[in-house]
Amino acid sequence: MKIVLIGPQFSGKGTLARMMERELGLVQISTGDLFRENIKNGTALGKEAETYMNKGVLVPLPLTLSILKEKLKGEECKNGFVLDGFPRNLDQANALEDIVKIDTVILLDAPRDVIMRRCLGRRTCSKCGEIYNTSTYDKPTCKKCGSPLFQRDDDNLDSIKVRLEVYEKETTPLINFYADRLFVVDGSKTPEETFESVKNFLMEKTK
Ligand code: AMP
């Protein structure tokens, strides 16, 4: 199955996508992670993307599309994937239609107060990418692999404000665009509850 996840920052897209990969065998494709990997490896693409990411604005479409297309070519994506963080506007959604047919779009809906509560507490494992929040886990190392956790460079108040504005303006029109294949799930619940709702929905759909 080919799935797109949409939702504001800190609604839990990354956490849900990782659970879907682990439990349902759908490959997680996060354009943000792909950019961060390039930044870490010092590639030219990473250097260019970083200038936009640090400001909290979208990386231009040609660059984003090139990184996504490369990933989709991989054999592991043939059996299905979860796109986490792409598309983020109508231009990207239209470009995606030309590449692949998306079966289902999951909207993770979370109110502003939940997002603001979560935003400065996010920590990510430097090795396996597991995501935590200091409100529920405040140790400096990953529960799963023991590696150090870090706070993303763009998880600061200035960047978060811009990113939420970009989401409102550019990404929310996708809710109408995908109205024919949209499933809305409450992103303010625990990761396990959210995953359970999504799993039940997908099981019903594939019956
Ligand atoms: P994320 O990890 O999804 O929060 O993305 C972090 C940053 O990467 C965003 O603020 C953008 O600068 C960039 N980015 C990720 N996905 C996209 C995309 N689909 N289009 C453009 N920029 C993106």
Side-chain angles (χ1 to χ4, degrees), residues 16 64 111 137:
L16 175 62
T64 309
Y137 182 80

Side-chain angles (χ1 to χ4, degrees), residues 47-63:
K47 286 198 176 87
E48 193 177 344
E50 192 174 21
T51 59
Y52 299 94
M53 291 170 78
N54 285 344
K55 290 185 220 141
V57 299
L58 296 185
V59 176
L61 184 57
L63 211 59

Side-chain angles (χ1 to χ4, degrees), residues 9 13 30-33 35-36 49 52-54 56-61 64 84-89 92 122 152 154 159 163:
Q9 283 69 23
K13 296 191 298 297
S30 155
T31 37
D33 283 352
F35 284 134
R36 280 184 288 277
Y52 299 94
M53 291 170 78
N54 285 344
V57 299
L58 296 185
V59 176
L61 184 57
T64 309
D84 155 21
F86 189 99
R88 267 173 143 102
N89 60 24
Q92 293 188 0
R122 174 160 66 185
R152 275 172 43 174
D154 57 353
S159 167
R163 282 150 65 205

